[in-house]
Amino acid sequence: MHRLVIRNYIAALVAPILLSVLAYKLLDKRRASAHRKAEDPNPGAPALLILPIQSHYDVFLSFRGTDTRRAFADLLYCCLVDAGVHVFRDDGELRPGEDIGLEFVEDIKNSKILIPIISANYAASKWCLDVLVQMMECKRRLLPIFYKVERAAVQHQVGSFGEAFRYYCNWRRFDQRVVEEWKQALEEVSLLQGWESEKDADGYFIL
C-alpha cells in the first residue's frame, strides 16, 4: 500500500512535465517528416538515406543543486530518461566560479526544450543566473518550473528569494550591468507559462 502511494505521488509530480516534453518531441518529428516530404523533388524515386541533424539534447535541465538535487530534480531527470528523453543535467555547481563557455552555450541553444527549476536559492548562484540569461535568448523553448517559490517573488526579487539574491550580489560585488541582466532574466522568466509548485504540496503543480 505504501508503494502505491509513492507511485501516485511521483506521477502527480512529474506527469504534466513529462507529457509536455513527449508531446513536443512527437510534434517535432512530424514537422521534420513533413519538411522532408516537401523537399523531395521526385517522390517516385528510390528513397535515399537522410540522417536528420539532431539537437544536442531533447531537454536541458538547469537547477540549483543544494535546493533540489536528490529530490525533485533527480526525480524529474530519471523519469525523463526512463521515457527515452535525452536530457542534459546542470546542477549549477559543476563549474563553480567559471564563466559559461561557447560549447555550453551551444548546448543550450541546440536543446529542444529548456527547463530551469527556479528554487529558493537559485538566484544565489552566478552559474544559474548566467545560464538563465542564455536560456532567455531561446524563450520560445523555455518551460520554467517554480519550485516552492512564487512567481511574484522571482519577478520582483522580493521575500526570501529576493533577500538571497541581493545578499549574494552585494557579497560578491558584481558589476551592476551584469546584475541588471540577471534581474531582467528573472522578470521575464516569471511571465512565461510553466509550472508552479505549492509550498505545502510537493506532489502538485499549478499551470
Side-chain angles (χ1 to χ4, degrees), residues 95-102 104 126-127 130:
R95 307 165 183 81
E98 294 184 17
D99 292 329
I100 297 176
L102 180 61
F104 199 84
K126 178 181 183 297
W127 184 267
D130 286 343

Side-chain angles (χ1 to χ4, degrees), residues 54-182:
Q54 298 290 335
S55 295
H56 291 192
Y57 298 96
D58 293 320
V59 172
F60 187 102
L61 190 63
S62 171
F63 58 94
R64 185 70 195 273
T66 54
D67 287 351
T68 61
R69 188 197 299 115
R70 297 178 182 175
F72 175 73
D74 276 359
L75 178 61
L76 176 58
Y77 173 81
C78 291
C79 288
L80 289 170
V81 171
D82 288 345
V85 179
H86 190 203
V87 186
F88 179 86
R89 176 170 52 179
D90 172 40
D91 69 358
E93 297 173 1
L94 296 177
R95 307 165 183 81
E98 294 184 17
D99 292 329
I100 297 176
L102 180 61
E103 183 178 352
F104 199 84
V105 172
E106 288 300 310
D107 284 335
I108 294 174
K109 290 182 177 180
N110 291 316
S111 294
K112 294 178 181 178
I113 296 178
L114 309 172
I115 302 181
I117 302 176
I118 301 176
S119 54
N121 295 296
Y122 187 88
S125 165
K126 178 181 183 297
W127 184 267
C128 287
L129 292 167
D130 286 343
V131 167
L132 184 63
V133 169
Q134 292 297 326
M135 283 184 166
M136 293 310 301
E137 298 293 326
C138 316
K139 65 176 64 177
R140 290 185 178 180
R141 292 181 278 117
L142 202 154
L143 298 174
I145 296 173
F146 301 91
Y147 182 75
K148 294 187 177 182
V149 63
E150 296 179 356
R151 286 175 180 266
V154 176
Q155 181 179 6
H156 303 292
Q157 296 94 57
V158 296
S160 58
F161 182 89
E163 289 176 4
F165 176 63
R166 286 189 295 275
Y167 177 82
Y168 180 67
C169 291
N170 292 334
W171 173 54
R172 296 290 300 272
R173 296 182 181 180
F174 293 110
D175 184 272
Q176 189 59 33
R177 179 186 59 81
V178 175
V179 174
E180 290 301 320
E181 286 184 352
W182 293 341

